[in-house]
Amino acid sequence: MQAVTTGLGGPSPSDSKHSSAASATKPAVQAIMEKQTTTDRPVVAATTTTTKSKQQTIHYPFWFGGSASSMAATVTHPLDLVKVRLQMRTGDAPKSMSGTVLHIVRNHGITGLYNGLSASLLRQITYSTTRFGIYEELKSRFTTRDQPASFPLLIAMATVSGVAGGLVGNVADVLNVRMQHDAALPPAQRRNYAHAIDGLTRMTREEGFRSWFRGVGPNSARAAAMTASQLASYDVFKRILIKHTPLGDDLATHFSASFLAGVAAATVTSPIDVIKTRVMSASGKSSMGHVLGDLYKQEGLRWMFKGWVPSFLRLGPQTICTFIFLEGHRKMYKKIKGIEE
């Protein structure tokens, strides 16, 4: 009787086997699940880190700066032309910006405001592509979004980029100055370059390869000062506006930062720009010391800011257009690549 009770109430041999198997299987399943969970965690973390790293270091195409600057040059070229004419003014030529514009239109028509445009575009393709490209490459290598570069470091990177741009784009700058100033010269002294390539060919044939580097000293100094005051100040002004005002990374911020950068660039580069224009426009030998001596005798220290207003009126819109076009390039690039803002 006891044997029967035991058989009905206690576990059968078969039940004991299944129970043992289940209890043995449960820890095994838990161990596998825990192992998978533990294994999955680093994968998620690595993915996050990789995404974050991509967000921090965006390598934009090298040519973005040259493209944006060329687009801006087509808008601001007449202002650049007027600035050169005022800096090279002689005799009874108009002294004001408005007078110079009217003089050009009256004598050469509306198209006269675009004299030398091909040289201006060649200058942006060489000079601006180099300085923007090197500057952006240095920024992407030595800074991140979480650790932006200090102002002195930005100035150092921009200065190096500017010197390189000045060297590469010097010949185009010589052509640009000559073609813009040509119509203001007496007919017998005009060079009458048909376009930038014609001017490049004739310069080499008539004056030798060394003419490509006429005024390279002041031009490289100006390029360094321009890039440091324009690009570095834009980055700093943009950072300050985003951090300390309700503005975000939008058009209003880009406009404000580029306007302030234009003021800084016009002020810093004005004296160098006057010297560069005088040296490049000369046909014979003309040293920087000789040019400085003549400028001081004629106008005293006022020569340092001669043409500042038209220079700013050209640099302001040019800087604004350049950075707005550049930010547009960047936004489109990030959209195409699927990079989060």
Side-chain angles (χ1 to χ4, degrees), residues 86-203:
L86 284 172
Q87 288 178 337
M88 298 300 299
R89 186 186 67 82
T90 56
D92 58 349
K95 298 180 180 181
S96 66
M97 182 177 179
S98 57
T100 304
V101 171
L102 290 174
H103 178 77
I104 293 171
V105 173
R106 189 183 306 117
N107 291 277
H108 307 285
I110 294 294
T111 57
L113 293 171
Y114 286 89
N115 283 341
L117 179 60
S118 60
S120 180
L121 292 176
L122 178 62
R123 177 175 178 267
Q124 300 303 334
I125 291 170
T126 53
Y127 160 69
S128 289
T129 299
T130 302
R131 71 187 184 111
F132 270 95
I134 294 176
Y135 178 69
E136 292 296 330
E137 182 64 24
L138 290 174
K139 276 204 312 180
S140 68
R141 287 179 179 274
F142 296 106
T143 66
T144 64
R145 290 186 183 182
D146 293 339
Q147 295 180 336
S150 63
F151 188 51
L153 179 57
L154 288 174
I155 289 178
M157 292 189 292
T159 301
V160 171
S161 306
V163 171
L167 290 170
V168 173
N170 191 77
V171 62
D173 215 357
V174 174
L175 286 169
N176 189 40
V177 170
R178 288 185 174 187
M179 291 179 71
Q180 287 179 351
H181 183 53
D182 205 45
L185 295 171
Q189 297 179 20
R190 294 176 186 173
R191 298 178 176 90
N192 295 316
Y193 296 150
H195 44 73
I197 303 303
D198 176 57
L200 187 65
T201 304
R202 286 179 52 190
M203 273 179 59

Side-chain angles (χ1 to χ4, degrees), residues 101 111 127 183 187 220 244 266-267 288 309 313 322:
V101 171
T111 57
Y127 160 69
S220 296
H244 299 288
T267 303
M288 192 184 305
V309 173
L313 291 177
T322 297

Side-chain angles (χ1 to χ4, degrees), residues 10 45 63 65-66 70 82 121 135 149 198 207 218 231 244 282 338:
W63 53 269
S70 296
V82 171
L121 292 176
Y135 178 69
D198 176 57
E207 302 175 51
L231 273 61
H244 299 288

Side-chain angles (χ1 to χ4, degrees), residues 121-334:
L121 292 176
L122 178 62
R123 177 175 178 267
Q124 300 303 334
I125 291 170
T126 53
Y127 160 69
S128 289
T129 299
T130 302
R131 71 187 184 111
F132 270 95
I134 294 176
Y135 178 69
E136 292 296 330
E137 182 64 24
L138 290 174
K139 276 204 312 180
S140 68
R141 287 179 179 274
F142 296 106
T143 66
T144 64
R145 290 186 183 182
D146 293 339
Q147 295 180 336
S150 63
F151 188 51
L153 179 57
L154 288 174
I155 289 178
M157 292 189 292
T159 301
V160 171
S161 306
V163 171
L167 290 170
V168 173
N170 191 77
V171 62
D173 215 357
V174 174
L175 286 169
N176 189 40
V177 170
R178 288 185 174 187
M179 291 179 71
Q180 287 179 351
H181 183 53
D182 205 45
L185 295 171
Q189 297 179 20
R190 294 176 186 173
R191 298 178 176 90
N192 295 316
Y193 296 150
H195 44 73
I197 303 303
D198 176 57
L200 187 65
T201 304
R202 286 179 52 190
M203 273 179 59
T204 307
R205 184 174 64 247
E206 297 168 8
E207 302 175 51
F209 182 70
R210 294 181 64 181
S211 65
W212 287 31
F213 298 96
R214 179 179 294 279
V216 69
N219 191 41
S220 296
R222 178 190 179 277
M226 168 67 78
T227 308
S229 59
Q230 190 183 51
L231 273 61
S233 65
Y234 173 79
D235 283 335
V236 171
F237 285 134
K238 178 182 173 182
R239 188 188 306 169
I240 291 172
L241 289 170
I242 292 174
K243 185 176 181 181
H244 299 288
T245 71
L247 296 173
D249 191 1
D250 52 24
L251 183 60
T253 300
H254 303 158
F255 180 88
S256 302
S258 58
F259 174 82
L260 294 171
V263 174
T267 303
V268 170
T269 61
S270 181
I272 306 171
D273 203 25
V274 174
I275 298 171
K276 182 208 74 168
T277 302
R278 292 294 181 98
V279 172
M280 286 185 170
S281 181
S283 296
K285 294 182 178 180
S286 184
S287 66
M288 192 184 305
H290 181 71
V291 169
L292 283 171
D294 286 346
L295 285 170
Y296 184 75
K297 288 177 183 178
Q298 294 170 10
E299 303 181 49
L301 292 177
R302 290 180 303 173
W303 71 266
M304 296 181 67
F305 298 101
K306 185 176 183 179
W308 186 93
V309 173
S311 179
F312 168 71
L313 291 177
R314 194 271 303 181
L315 261 179
Q318 193 267 346
T319 303
I320 291 169
C321 291
T322 297
F323 283 113
I324 287 178
F325 286 136
L326 181 61
E327 294 287 1
H329 281 48
R330 291 170 175 173
K331 186 174 182 179
M332 185 62 68
Y333 179 80
K334 288 188 283 190

